Amino acid sequence: MSQHESLGDLEPQARVIAFYLPQFHPMKENDEWWEPGFTEWTQVTRARPLFRGHQQPQLPSELGFYDLRVPETREQQASLARECGIEGFCYWHYWLGNGRRLLERPFEDVLSSGQPDFPFCLAWANHDWSGTAFGAGRRLLAKQLYPGFEDYLAHFKFLARAFADSRYIRVNGKPLFYIYRPHEIPDCKKVMEFFREQAEKVGHKGLYLVGETASGGKAEKYGLDAGHLSRHRQISLDDKREPSTVNRAFKKLKRLTGVGIASLADDPIQRYDYGEAMKVVIKDRYLANEYPSIVSNWDTTPRFGRDAVVFENATPEAFRNHLKEALSKVDERPFENRLLFLRAWNEWAEGNYMEPDVAYGRQRLEVLKEELMTRRAVVSKMGESLSSESSS
């Protein structure tokens, strides 16, 4: 199916791209760092309720505890995503420098096999690997390095294989490449210009570069085309790396929801009502080169225990309200630039997934299809009606 092909008689009203985590298969580094056979499911299944009404563990239903080395699993995932109107997966890609990669097996299989026949793009997860990411203390496991342009060239040569694939997602004819932490790349603007030049040398029109932590106003500073504002990740009272305006908004929200900052000394879990939290996650206005997040849920207790952030009452209907608001922020843009980044398809240890689970089954997927697909059909009919009136 092509990127913009309709599903039956319906078309999506926006280009929803879902982040995809490849941490669901064993690798030798995790075997050494943690225990033999460690995957994302290890943390997910060990989670327990930490307060009254806390919904843990959150467990998969129809896809089960899958292994991403299995082609049938990847086909099932693509089928579910396609049915609800998701345009494609954005695979997290780990290039740590000096040619070192992690968790590369699933995407390599997708690339080399040509299956599933489902659009994709890549996101460079350029961050250190530390114990904090999996709830095991602050020890550095693998450092993200930026050795220089010889390594950037090697990196691009890998990327070029993906960019050349007919399934690769493009914006205005350019391959979409996502940068997780542009601000940490030394002389990022120069590096992005180098990647663009290399893309042009192999026959592309350039690249469409989106950075997560860069607002639209700062995108040019880093050599990017656009910024993705993933504001739910900025919820921390002591995180000095993220914009303080978002933290201040969540501090106010915490008081409004009655959890109280003073209580953090006794219970560090940061708990928010999902519906109220989404009012902070979605801004009132977005620049033309800023893209909102769609956040299905957020509960990081499988990774961080009592140091977690939890969104409560994240029901499918609450998700529907959030989704409508996110869609409204891009609905006046040309379709090519009507992007929404879905956090996420399968980040289970952060409670951040769309795949069917024991609690709600496919309900979130069904909500996405109803709002994304049906609304587009209504808009089209309204346009036809207006055209008929003007011609008469």
Side-chain angles (χ1 to χ4, degrees):
M1 189 176 86
S2 65
Q3 292 179 24
H4 301 163
E5 187 177 342
S6 65
L7 271 173
D9 295 328
L10 303 175
E11 290 183 347
Q13 74 147 7
R15 303 181 65 182
V16 174
I17 299 173
F19 288 102
Y20 183 106
L21 183 69
Q23 173 88 322
F24 297 90
H25 68 94
M27 67 173 186
K28 64 182 181 65
E29 289 87 355
N30 274 338
D31 288 350
E32 296 167 359
W33 293 333
W34 307 111
E35 60 190 75
F38 180 96
T39 73
E40 190 86 343
W41 298 125
T42 307
Q43 295 292 74
V44 169
T45 56
R46 290 175 179 173
R48 295 294 180 268
L50 299 181
F51 51 84
R52 187 183 299 275
H54 188 201
Q55 189 179 325
Q56 283 290 354
Q58 297 178 358
L59 302 175
S61 56
E62 60 188 271
L63 294 181
F65 298 105
Y66 53 73
D67 184 327
L68 288 180
R69 296 172 298 183
V70 178
E72 289 82 2
T73 291
R74 302 193 299 265
E75 289 284 357
Q76 287 177 294
Q77 291 174 317
S79 178
L80 284 170
R82 184 186 295 111
E83 286 174 14
C84 67
I86 291 174
E87 178 170 320
F89 290 142
C90 185
Y91 292 92
W92 285 115
H93 153 67
Y94 303 88
W95 182 283
L96 297 181
N98 294 319
R100 186 180 184 186
R101 296 167 63 195
L102 294 175
L103 296 174
E104 69 276 11
R105 168 72 182 273
F107 180 71
E108 281 290 351
D109 287 352
V110 168
L111 192 58
S112 61
S113 70
Q115 299 299 324
D117 185 13
F118 187 62
F120 63 79
C121 60
L122 289 174
W124 183 13
N126 60 316
H127 59 76
D128 295 339
W129 278 57
S130 67
T132 56
F134 306 104
R138 294 180 179 275
R139 65 187 179 104
L140 181 65
L141 302 174
K143 189 168 181 59
Q144 174 68 54
L145 302 174
Y146 304 96
F149 281 85
E150 184 176 344
D151 187 64
Y152 293 138
L153 179 59
H155 189 180
F156 179 82
K157 287 180 178 178
F158 160 73
L159 295 172
R161 292 174 50 216
F163 296 161
D165 195 290
S166 62
R167 295 168 293 173
Y168 202 91
I169 294 170
R170 289 166 170 76
V171 178
N172 298 319
K174 301 176 182 179
L176 168 61
F177 186 46
Y178 189 95
I179 313 294
Y180 179 49
R181 291 182 176 174
H183 58 284
E184 293 188 4
I185 301 174
D187 203 354
C188 184
K189 188 171 185 178
K190 188 174 181 180
V191 175
M192 297 301 104
E193 289 172 353
F194 176 77
F195 279 167
R196 282 196 177 93
E197 290 170 1
Q198 296 304 310
E200 290 173 359
K201 286 181 180 179
V202 296
H204 298 293
K205 296 179 180 180
L207 296 175
Y208 192 79
L209 300 169
V210 180
E212 176 156 331
T213 56
S215 67
K218 292 182 179 178
E220 184 178 352
K221 172 183 176 181
Y222 296 114
L224 304 168
D225 295 284
H228 168 225
L229 305 186
S230 191
R231 289 158 66 92
H232 70 289
R233 298 190 67 89
Q234 299 172 6
I235 309 165
S236 174
L237 301 182
D238 60 358
D239 190 341
K240 301 299 190 295
R241 298 172 304 172
E242 303 290 1
S244 59
T245 53
V246 178
N247 286 342
R248 284 198 296 269
F250 272 97
K251 286 181 184 180
K252 181 178 180 181
L253 178 62
K254 186 174 289 292
R255 288 193 293 270
L256 290 173
T257 55
V259 178
I261 294 176
S263 69
L264 291 178
D266 301 318
D267 187 353
I269 301 175
Q270 297 184 63
R271 296 163 57 185
Y272 305 89
D273 177 78
Y274 171 88
E276 293 300 313
M278 293 304 99
K279 295 177 183 178
V280 178
V281 168
I282 298 295
K283 297 199 308 178
D284 291 335
R285 295 180 181 178
Y286 287 82
L287 298 176
N289 65 338
E290 288 180 342
Y291 297 113
S293 274
I294 305 172
V295 182
S296 59
N297 191 9
W298 193 247
D299 182 342
T300 62
T301 53
R303 289 190 177 175
F304 299 109
R306 303 203 76 86
D307 293 323
V309 175
V310 178
F311 291 168
E312 299 185 68
N313 306 314
T315 64
E317 283 307 305
F319 174 62
R320 185 189 302 276
N321 294 333
H322 163 57
L323 178 58
K324 286 180 177 179
E325 185 68 14
L327 287 167
S328 74
K329 301 304 180 182
V330 298
D331 61 5
E332 294 184 357
R333 301 181 184 183
F335 184 80
E336 190 73 9
N337 299 96
R338 207 178 297 165
L339 297 175
L340 288 172
F341 290 94
L342 174 58
R343 302 302 299 261
W345 176 256
N346 64 339
E347 297 199 12
W348 284 84
E350 293 181 343
N352 187 218
Y353 56 86
M354 289 293 291
E355 292 176 330
D357 67 2
V358 170
Y360 294 112
R362 293 190 179 190
Q363 288 184 46
R364 287 192 182 94
L365 291 172
E366 291 166 355
V367 165
L368 179 60
K369 181 176 181 179
E370 289 167 6
E371 296 301 324
L372 180 63
M373 308 302 286
T374 304
R375 184 174 174 183
R376 175 66 177 175
V378 171
V379 170
S380 298
K381 290 176 182 178
M382 289 174 60
E384 291 171 5
S385 175
L386 290 172
S387 297
S388 300
E389 291 176 9
S390 60
S391 61
S392 59

